[in-house]
PDB file of all heavy atoms in Angstrom:
ATOM      1  N   VAL A   1     125.398 -22.801  29.566  1.00  0.00           N
ATOM      2  CA  VAL A   1     125.827 -23.488  28.356  1.00  0.00           C
ATOM      3  C   VAL A   1     126.877 -22.644  27.631  1.00  0.00           C
ATOM      4  O   VAL A   1     127.855 -23.129  27.065  1.00  0.00           O
ATOM      5  CB  VAL A   1     124.652 -23.781  27.460  1.00  0.00           C
ATOM      6  CG1 VAL A   1     125.116 -24.361  26.109  1.00  0.00           C
ATOM      7  CG2 VAL A   1     123.694 -24.718  28.138  1.00  0.00           C
ATOM      8  N   ASN A   2     126.586 -21.277  27.606  1.00  0.00           N
ATOM      9  CA  ASN A   2     127.571 -20.390  26.928  1.00  0.00           C
ATOM     10  C   ASN A   2     128.949 -20.516  27.603  1.00  0.00           C
ATOM     11  O   ASN A   2     129.960 -20.482  26.886  1.00  0.00           O
ATOM     12  CB  ASN A   2     127.103 -18.925  27.041  1.00  0.00           C
ATOM     13  CG  ASN A   2     126.262 -18.543  25.855  1.00  0.00           C
ATOM     14  OD1 ASN A   2     126.475 -19.106  24.773  1.00  0.00           O
ATOM     15  ND2 ASN A   2     125.347 -17.643  26.024  1.00  0.00           N
ATOM     16  N   ASP A   3     128.989 -20.600  28.891  1.00  0.00           N
ATOM     17  CA  ASP A   3     130.214 -20.722  29.594  1.00  0.00           C
ATOM     18  C   ASP A   3     130.962 -21.981  29.191  1.00  0.00           C
ATOM     19  O   ASP A   3     132.195 -22.027  29.061  1.00  0.00           O
ATOM     20  CB  ASP A   3     130.032 -20.665  31.099  1.00  0.00           C
ATOM     21  CG  ASP A   3     129.570 -19.294  31.580  1.00  0.00           C
ATOM     22  OD1 ASP A   3     129.802 -18.339  30.803  1.00  0.00           O
ATOM     23  OD2 ASP A   3     129.049 -19.186  32.684  1.00  0.00           O
ATOM     24  N   VAL A   4     130.150 -23.055  29.067  1.00  0.00           N
ATOM     25  CA  VAL A   4     130.758 -24.354  28.673  1.00  0.00           C
ATOM     26  C   VAL A   4     131.305 -24.324  27.275  1.00  0.00           C
ATOM     27  O   VAL A   4     132.353 -24.831  26.971  1.00  0.00           O
ATOM     28  CB  VAL A   4     129.732 -25.470  28.813  1.00  0.00           C
ATOM     29  CG1 VAL A   4     130.290 -26.780  28.283  1.00  0.00           C
ATOM     30  CG2 VAL A   4     129.334 -25.639  30.307  1.00  0.00           C
ATOM     31  N   LEU A   5     130.526 -23.626  26.384  1.00  0.00           N
ATOM     32  CA  LEU A   5     130.937 -23.632  24.960  1.00  0.00           C
ATOM     33  C   LEU A   5     132.001 -22.593  24.632  1.00  0.00           C
ATOM     34  O   LEU A   5     132.606 -22.651  23.595  1.00  0.00           O
ATOM     35  CB  LEU A   5     129.680 -23.308  24.121  1.00  0.00           C
ATOM     36  CG  LEU A   5     128.634 -24.431  23.996  1.00  0.00           C
ATOM     37  CD1 LEU A   5     127.470 -23.935  23.157  1.00  0.00           C
ATOM     38  CD2 LEU A   5     129.233 -25.698  23.429  1.00  0.00           C
ATOM     39  N   ALA A   6     132.239 -21.664  25.540  1.00  0.00           N
ATOM     40  CA  ALA A   6     133.132 -20.565  25.188  1.00  0.00           C
ATOM     41  C   ALA A   6     134.525 -21.076  24.766  1.00  0.00           C
ATOM     42  O   ALA A   6     135.088 -20.601  23.755  1.00  0.00           O
ATOM     43  CB  ALA A   6     133.254 -19.599  26.408  1.00  0.00           C
ATOM     44  N   PRO A   7     135.174 -21.991  25.501  1.00  0.00           N
ATOM     45  CA  PRO A   7     136.489 -22.523  25.068  1.00  0.00           C
ATOM     46  C   PRO A   7     136.440 -23.101  23.701  1.00  0.00           C
ATOM     47  O   PRO A   7     137.331 -22.909  22.886  1.00  0.00           O
ATOM     48  CB  PRO A   7     136.877 -23.478  26.163  1.00  0.00           C
ATOM     49  CG  PRO A   7     136.077 -23.054  27.352  1.00  0.00           C
ATOM     50  CD  PRO A   7     134.769 -22.573  26.842  1.00  0.00           C
ATOM     51  N   ALA A   8     135.362 -23.870  23.442  1.00  0.00           N
ATOM     52  CA  ALA A   8     135.258 -24.534  22.123  1.00  0.00           C
ATOM     53  C   ALA A   8     135.121 -23.494  21.045  1.00  0.00           C
ATOM     54  O   ALA A   8     135.683 -23.625  19.945  1.00  0.00           O
ATOM     55  CB  ALA A   8     134.083 -25.501  22.147  1.00  0.00           C
ATOM     56  N   ARG A   9     134.287 -22.461  21.301  1.00  0.00           N
ATOM     57  CA  ARG A   9     134.081 -21.365  20.318  1.00  0.00           C
ATOM     58  C   ARG A   9     135.377 -20.691  20.016  1.00  0.00           C
ATOM     59  O   ARG A   9     135.690 -20.347  18.850  1.00  0.00           O
ATOM     60  CB  ARG A   9     133.039 -20.397  20.799  1.00  0.00           C
ATOM     61  CG  ARG A   9     131.613 -20.859  20.683  1.00  0.00           C
ATOM     62  CD  ARG A   9     130.639 -19.697  20.687  1.00  0.00           C
ATOM     63  NE  ARG A   9     130.895 -18.769  21.766  1.00  0.00           N
ATOM     64  CZ  ARG A   9     130.294 -18.862  22.976  1.00  0.00           C
ATOM     65  NH1 ARG A   9     129.425 -19.813  23.179  1.00  0.00           N
ATOM     66  NH2 ARG A   9     130.602 -17.989  23.900  1.00  0.00           N
ATOM     67  N   ASP A  10     136.167 -20.512  21.073  1.00  0.00           N
ATOM     68  CA  ASP A  10     137.444 -19.825  20.867  1.00  0.00           C
ATOM     69  C   ASP A  10     138.378 -20.649  19.994  1.00  0.00           C
ATOM     70  O   ASP A  10     139.113 -20.121  19.130  1.00  0.00           O
ATOM     71  CB  ASP A  10     138.141 -19.539  22.217  1.00  0.00           C
ATOM     72  CG  ASP A  10     137.342 -18.501  23.033  1.00  0.00           C
ATOM     73  OD1 ASP A  10     136.536 -17.796  22.433  1.00  0.00           O
ATOM     74  OD2 ASP A  10     137.562 -18.430  24.265  1.00  0.00           O
ATOM     75  N   VAL A  11     138.359 -21.989  20.224  1.00  0.00           N
ATOM     76  CA  VAL A  11     139.198 -22.856  19.401  1.00  0.00           C
ATOM     77  C   VAL A  11     138.776 -22.828  17.960  1.00  0.00           C
ATOM     78  O   VAL A  11     139.576 -22.710  17.036  1.00  0.00           O
ATOM     79  CB  VAL A  11     139.183 -24.305  19.959  1.00  0.00           C
ATOM     80  CG1 VAL A  11     139.865 -25.297  18.950  1.00  0.00           C
ATOM     81  CG2 VAL A  11     139.815 -24.384  21.323  1.00  0.00           C
ATOM     82  N   VAL A  12     137.453 -22.924  17.728  1.00  0.00           N
ATOM     83  CA  VAL A  12     136.892 -22.880  16.361  1.00  0.00           C
ATOM     84  C   VAL A  12     137.258 -21.598  15.669  1.00  0.00           C
ATOM     85  O   VAL A  12     137.655 -21.533  14.538  1.00  0.00           O
ATOM     86  CB  VAL A  12     135.402 -23.157  16.348  1.00  0.00           C
ATOM     87  CG1 VAL A  12     134.856 -22.936  14.947  1.00  0.00           C
ATOM     88  CG2 VAL A  12     135.118 -24.557  16.873  1.00  0.00           C
ATOM     89  N   ALA A  13     137.110 -20.477  16.431  1.00  0.00           N
ATOM     90  CA  ALA A  13     137.405 -19.187  15.824  1.00  0.00           C
ATOM     91  C   ALA A  13     138.849 -19.053  15.481  1.00  0.00           C
ATOM     92  O   ALA A  13     139.233 -18.466  14.446  1.00  0.00           O
ATOM     93  CB  ALA A  13     137.023 -18.060  16.839  1.00  0.00           C
ATOM     94  N   ALA A  14     139.723 -19.611  16.355  1.00  0.00           N
ATOM     95  CA  ALA A  14     141.161 -19.543  16.091  1.00  0.00           C
ATOM     96  C   ALA A  14     141.527 -20.307  14.831  1.00  0.00           C
ATOM     97  O   ALA A  14     142.471 -19.954  14.109  1.00  0.00           O
ATOM     98  CB  ALA A  14     141.906 -20.115  17.287  1.00  0.00           C
ATOM     99  N   VAL A  15     140.804 -21.374  14.586  1.00  0.00           N
ATOM    100  CA  VAL A  15     141.084 -22.205  13.396  1.00  0.00           C
ATOM    101  C   VAL A  15     140.528 -21.508  12.133  1.00  0.00           C
ATOM    102  O   VAL A  15     141.145 -21.456  11.078  1.00  0.00           O
ATOM    103  CB  VAL A  15     140.469 -23.600  13.561  1.00  0.00           C
ATOM    104  CG1 VAL A  15     140.602 -24.387  12.239  1.00  0.00           C
ATOM    105  CG2 VAL A  15     141.183 -24.350  14.669  1.00  0.00           C
ATOM    106  N   VAL A  16     139.310 -21.004  12.217  1.00  0.00           N
ATOM    107  CA  VAL A  16     138.591 -20.428  11.060  1.00  0.00           C
ATOM    108  C   VAL A  16     139.154 -19.111  10.685  1.00  0.00           C
ATOM    109  O   VAL A  16     139.247 -18.760   9.497  1.00  0.00           O
ATOM    110  CB  VAL A  16     137.068 -20.347  11.372  1.00  0.00           C
ATOM    111  CG1 VAL A  16     136.363 -19.624  10.217  1.00  0.00           C
ATOM    112  CG2 VAL A  16     136.500 -21.730  11.578  1.00  0.00           C
ATOM    113  N   ARG A  17     139.559 -18.271  11.670  1.00  0.00           N
ATOM    114  CA  ARG A  17     139.967 -16.867  11.390  1.00  0.00           C
ATOM    115  C   ARG A  17     141.126 -16.860  10.382  1.00  0.00           C
ATOM    116  O   ARG A  17     141.094 -16.070   9.415  1.00  0.00           O
ATOM    117  CB  ARG A  17     140.376 -16.163  12.679  1.00  0.00           C
ATOM    118  CG  ARG A  17     140.636 -14.689  12.462  1.00  0.00           C
ATOM    119  CD  ARG A  17     141.028 -13.990  13.734  1.00  0.00           C
ATOM    120  NE  ARG A  17     139.937 -14.076  14.726  1.00  0.00           N
ATOM    121  CZ  ARG A  17     139.982 -14.802  15.847  1.00  0.00           C
ATOM    122  NH1 ARG A  17     141.085 -15.512  16.137  1.00  0.00           N
ATOM    123  NH2 ARG A  17     138.986 -14.802  16.664  1.00  0.00           N
ATOM    124  N   PRO A  18     142.232 -17.621  10.590  1.00  0.00           N
ATOM    125  CA  PRO A  18     143.326 -17.602   9.575  1.00  0.00           C
ATOM    126  C   PRO A  18     142.878 -17.976   8.189  1.00  0.00           C
ATOM    127  O   PRO A  18     143.363 -17.437   7.199  1.00  0.00           O
ATOM    128  CB  PRO A  18     144.315 -18.595  10.096  1.00  0.00           C
ATOM    129  CG  PRO A  18     144.058 -18.688  11.563  1.00  0.00           C
ATOM    130  CD  PRO A  18     142.569 -18.546  11.728  1.00  0.00           C
ATOM    131  N   ILE A  19     141.963 -18.947   8.118  1.00  0.00           N
ATOM    132  CA  ILE A  19     141.462 -19.328   6.802  1.00  0.00           C
ATOM    133  C   ILE A  19     140.733 -18.174   6.128  1.00  0.00           C
ATOM    134  O   ILE A  19     140.914 -17.869   4.946  1.00  0.00           O
ATOM    135  CB  ILE A  19     140.518 -20.558   6.924  1.00  0.00           C
ATOM    136  CG1 ILE A  19     141.288 -21.752   7.458  1.00  0.00           C
ATOM    137  CG2 ILE A  19     139.887 -20.892   5.576  1.00  0.00           C
ATOM    138  CD1 ILE A  19     140.426 -22.956   7.744  1.00  0.00           C
ATOM    139  N   GLY A  20     139.874 -17.459   6.909  1.00  0.00           N
ATOM    140  CA  GLY A  20     139.170 -16.315   6.347  1.00  0.00           C
ATOM    141  C   GLY A  20     140.129 -15.221   5.963  1.00  0.00           C
ATOM    142  O   GLY A  20     139.966 -14.612   4.895  1.00  0.00           O
ATOM    143  N   ASN A  21     141.169 -14.998   6.798  1.00  0.00           N
ATOM    144  CA  ASN A  21     142.126 -13.965   6.440  1.00  0.00           C
ATOM    145  C   ASN A  21     142.910 -14.345   5.147  1.00  0.00           C
ATOM    146  O   ASN A  21     143.210 -13.481   4.346  1.00  0.00           O
ATOM    147  CB  ASN A  21     143.121 -13.789   7.585  1.00  0.00           C
ATOM    148  CG  ASN A  21     142.498 -13.127   8.818  1.00  0.00           C
ATOM    149  OD1 ASN A  21     141.422 -12.510   8.685  1.00  0.00           O
ATOM    150  ND2 ASN A  21     143.082 -13.281   9.963  1.00  0.00           N
ATOM    151  N   ALA A  22     143.229 -15.622   5.051  1.00  0.00           N
ATOM    152  CA  ALA A  22     143.955 -16.065   3.864  1.00  0.00           C
ATOM    153  C   ALA A  22     143.139 -15.871   2.623  1.00  0.00           C
ATOM    154  O   ALA A  22     143.606 -15.388   1.592  1.00  0.00           O
ATOM    155  CB  ALA A  22     144.353 -17.531   4.014  1.00  0.00           C
ATOM    156  N   VAL A  23     141.855 -16.230   2.697  1.00  0.00           N
ATOM    157  CA  VAL A  23     140.962 -16.067   1.550  1.00  0.00           C
ATOM    158  C   VAL A  23     140.868 -14.587   1.189  1.00  0.00           C
ATOM    159  O   VAL A  23     140.934 -14.178   0.041  1.00  0.00           O
ATOM    160  CB  VAL A  23     139.568 -16.623   1.841  1.00  0.00           C
ATOM    161  CG1 VAL A  23     138.579 -16.243   0.727  1.00  0.00           C
ATOM    162  CG2 VAL A  23     139.628 -18.121   1.977  1.00  0.00           C
ATOM    163  N   SER A  24     140.694 -13.732   2.219  1.00  0.00           N
ATOM    164  CA  SER A  24     140.611 -12.288   1.982  1.00  0.00           C
ATOM    165  C   SER A  24     141.887 -11.763   1.376  1.00  0.00           C
ATOM    166  O   SER A  24     141.895 -10.956   0.494  1.00  0.00           O
ATOM    167  CB  SER A  24     140.369 -11.573   3.297  1.00  0.00           C
ATOM    168  OG  SER A  24     140.345 -10.167   3.093  1.00  0.00           O
ATOM    169  N   SER A  25     143.062 -12.315   1.882  1.00  0.00           N
ATOM    170  CA  SER A  25     144.336 -11.872   1.384  1.00  0.00           C
ATOM    171  C   SER A  25     144.509 -12.226  -0.097  1.00  0.00           C
ATOM    172  O   SER A  25     144.967 -11.415  -0.921  1.00  0.00           O
ATOM    173  CB  SER A  25     145.477 -12.501   2.177  1.00  0.00           C
ATOM    174  OG  SER A  25     146.715 -12.189   1.628  1.00  0.00           O
ATOM    175  N   PHE A  26     144.106 -13.483  -0.424  1.00  0.00           N
ATOM    176  CA  PHE A  26     144.178 -13.923  -1.841  1.00  0.00           C
ATOM    177  C   PHE A  26     143.311 -13.043  -2.729  1.00  0.00           C
ATOM    178  O   PHE A  26     143.667 -12.654  -3.839  1.00  0.00           O
ATOM    179  CB  PHE A  26     143.797 -15.369  -1.972  1.00  0.00           C
ATOM    180  CG  PHE A  26     144.838 -16.320  -1.513  1.00  0.00           C
ATOM    181  CD1 PHE A  26     144.530 -17.400  -0.703  1.00  0.00           C
ATOM    182  CD2 PHE A  26     146.196 -16.169  -1.885  1.00  0.00           C
ATOM    183  CE1 PHE A  26     145.479 -18.272  -0.256  1.00  0.00           C
ATOM    184  CE2 PHE A  26     147.139 -17.051  -1.478  1.00  0.00           C
ATOM    185  CZ  PHE A  26     146.773 -18.099  -0.633  1.00  0.00           C
ATOM    186  N   THR A  27     142.122 -12.702  -2.231  1.00  0.00           N
ATOM    187  CA  THR A  27     141.229 -11.852  -3.008  1.00  0.00           C
ATOM    188  C   THR A  27     141.778 -10.465  -3.186  1.00  0.00           C
ATOM    189  O   THR A  27     141.754  -9.916  -4.306  1.00  0.00           O
ATOM    190  CB  THR A  27     139.852 -11.739  -2.269  1.00  0.00           C
ATOM    191  OG1 THR A  27     139.315 -13.057  -2.093  1.00  0.00           O
ATOM    192  CG2 THR A  27     138.895 -10.926  -3.091  1.00  0.00           C
ATOM    193  N   ASP A  28     142.329  -9.871  -2.070  1.00  0.00           N
ATOM    194  CA  ASP A  28     142.931  -8.568  -2.216  1.00  0.00           C
ATOM    195  C   ASP A  28     144.131  -8.584  -3.153  1.00  0.00           C
ATOM    196  O   ASP A  28     144.309  -7.641  -3.937  1.00  0.00           O
ATOM    197  CB  ASP A  28     143.391  -8.064  -0.809  1.00  0.00           C
ATOM    198  CG  ASP A  28     142.204  -7.787   0.083  1.00  0.00           C
ATOM    199  OD1 ASP A  28     141.083  -7.677  -0.457  1.00  0.00           O
ATOM    200  OD2 ASP A  28     142.392  -7.750   1.308  1.00  0.00           O
ATOM    201  N   GLU A  29     144.960  -9.624  -3.071  1.00  0.00           N
ATOM    202  CA  GLU A  29     146.140  -9.688  -3.930  1.00  0.00           C
ATOM    203  C   GLU A  29     145.710  -9.758  -5.384  1.00  0.00           C
ATOM    204  O   GLU A  29     146.350  -9.133  -6.242  1.00  0.00           O
ATOM    205  CB  GLU A  29     146.961 -10.944  -3.555  1.00  0.00           C
ATOM    206  CG  GLU A  29     148.306 -11.037  -4.359  1.00  0.00           C
ATOM    207  CD  GLU A  29     149.106 -12.217  -3.956  1.00  0.00           C
ATOM    208  OE1 GLU A  29     148.723 -12.911  -2.961  1.00  0.00           O
ATOM    209  OE2 GLU A  29     150.174 -12.416  -4.570  1.00  0.00           O
TER     210      GLU A  29
END
């Protein structure tokens, strides 16, 4: 199941990571 979900997890992480970085950036600024 992990193997099946891995591509989906990668897609979700790719979408969520910039949002998290942006929030962190706004906080740091």
Side-chain angles (χ1 to χ4, degrees):
V1 173
N2 268 332
D3 291 340
V4 173
L5 289 178
R9 283 202 309 269
D10 292 342
V11 171
V12 172
V15 172
V16 173
R17 187 179 299 110
I19 298 175
N21 291 340
V23 172
S24 176
S25 175
F26 285 133
T27 302
D28 292 344
E29 184 177 357

